[in-house]
Amino acid sequence: MTVTTPAQAGAPETVGENQDGPQREPQPARPGTSRGLPSLGPEGTRLLRLLDDTFEGWGTAAGARPMTMPPLLPAADLAKLDYYDNFPHQAVVAAPLDLERRATTPFSADTGCFPSDALEPAALGLPSASCYAVYLDHQGTQVADDTLVTICSWCFRKETHYEGMRRQLGFRMREIVAIGAREHAETHLADFTARIHAFATELDLPLRKEAACDPFFDKGGSKAVLQRLTPVKYEFLYEDLAIASVNTHRNFFGDRCDITLESTGGAAFTSCVAFGLERWLSALTRRHGSWESATQAVLDANARLRADASGAAGPVI
């Protein structure tokens, strides 16, 4: 699971169309940019929705059920998935105000913060990837061998610094999640890897696929050793920016969430394909030079891919 980042307001900065070198993205103009909380203007919003509709359409065409997940999850549930052991550097938690102690430890205008003594215990977590909610939603259930779900959720990651649409505290992630038999989980990733490559080719967006190492498993466990031998995550990078990933978790989440197969009763295997929507905005505007050009590139790529699919299927009678 991977990926992050949003953008701007106001008129975009038009940059050069020369494709020989890296292009600059339209620059965010809002103060929230430095805090990892920038906004998007009309042009960026249109492109983000177009991209999300595109990726969601890939999922539903493959049989995925669209779902909507909550933006917060119980910290106890995330802890059960080793989230706070494996990703402590990214973790963001939420806590309500303690109304009694708030009176003696008020908000500090100097620091811009409520002191920790003014808060109740942080029992809620803001997840860094969309798919955690899917596994928790299916816990204790039996699923068909070929279950697919697609969601788009706000995700949150604490970073050492924030940068435009490339690196943000809050961002949107579209995921298409496979739950079921091992073959289903593996085929899911192969199919969507091909889709990503085809889309990038039509967009004239050069991507490279590289193995990554997110510690989904306890670093000292046997599954972590297997992960080092056989990567469980691959990222698709434009320049130095990962904008999509394909991830296999084997039966880790099936075990932890007690998700079993209707066919065998065994633990389900899972895999997911993730798209960091704002990072796609960054890559496309850098490559094509403006919001308008980037949006047209996506419209044209989708039209060509639909035409190719229709041709491959033969004439409609």
Side-chain angles (χ1 to χ4, degrees), residues 6-175:
Q8 74 129 54
E13 176 186 5
T14 302
V15 297
E17 297 294 333
N18 176 16
Q19 303 301 321
D20 294 334
Q23 304 296 301
R24 291 174 296 146
E25 66 193 43
Q27 293 299 304
R30 299 288 192 187
T33 302
S34 63
R35 301 192 299 271
L37 300 168
S39 57
L40 278 173
E43 302 93 339
T45 298
R46 180 191 179 201
L47 181 53
L48 184 141
R49 289 176 177 170
L50 175 61
L51 286 165
D52 189 40
D53 288 346
T54 297
F55 302 140
E56 182 184 28
W58 293 359
T60 55
R65 293 183 299 129
M67 297 186 71
T68 301
M69 296 296 170
L72 297 164
L73 295 172
D77 286 348
L78 288 171
K80 181 175 68 175
L81 303 180
D82 293 345
Y83 177 74
Y84 298 109
D85 293 328
N86 293 331
F87 301 101
H89 55 293
Q90 293 181 339
V92 181
V93 296
L97 289 173
D98 185 311
L99 298 183
E100 293 183 2
R101 289 190 294 175
R102 171 179 172 270
T104 56
T105 51
F107 177 83
S108 170
D110 293 335
T111 64
C113 302
F114 280 102
S116 58
D117 286 347
L119 304 177
E120 293 183 7
L124 295 170
L126 286 73
S128 62
S130 297
C131 61
Y132 287 111
V134 175
Y135 309 131
L136 291 170
D137 186 73
H138 284 77
Q139 64 183 329
T141 66
Q142 284 197 328
V143 299
D145 285 18
D146 58 351
T147 300
L148 282 177
V149 172
T150 184
I151 58 170
C152 182
S153 300
W154 277 96
C155 298
F156 303 87
R157 294 181 184 177
K158 182 179 183 295
E159 303 276 10
T160 57
H161 68 283
Y162 300 105
E163 180 185 357
M165 293 180 288
R166 295 168 58 87
R167 189 180 297 271
Q168 294 173 266
L169 172 59
F171 57 95
R172 279 150 287 202
M173 183 185 294
R174 166 64 62 180
E175 292 205 43

Side-chain angles (χ1 to χ4, degrees), residues 303-316:
R304 287 191 293 269
L305 290 171
R306 283 194 297 268
D308 289 345
S310 297
V316 177

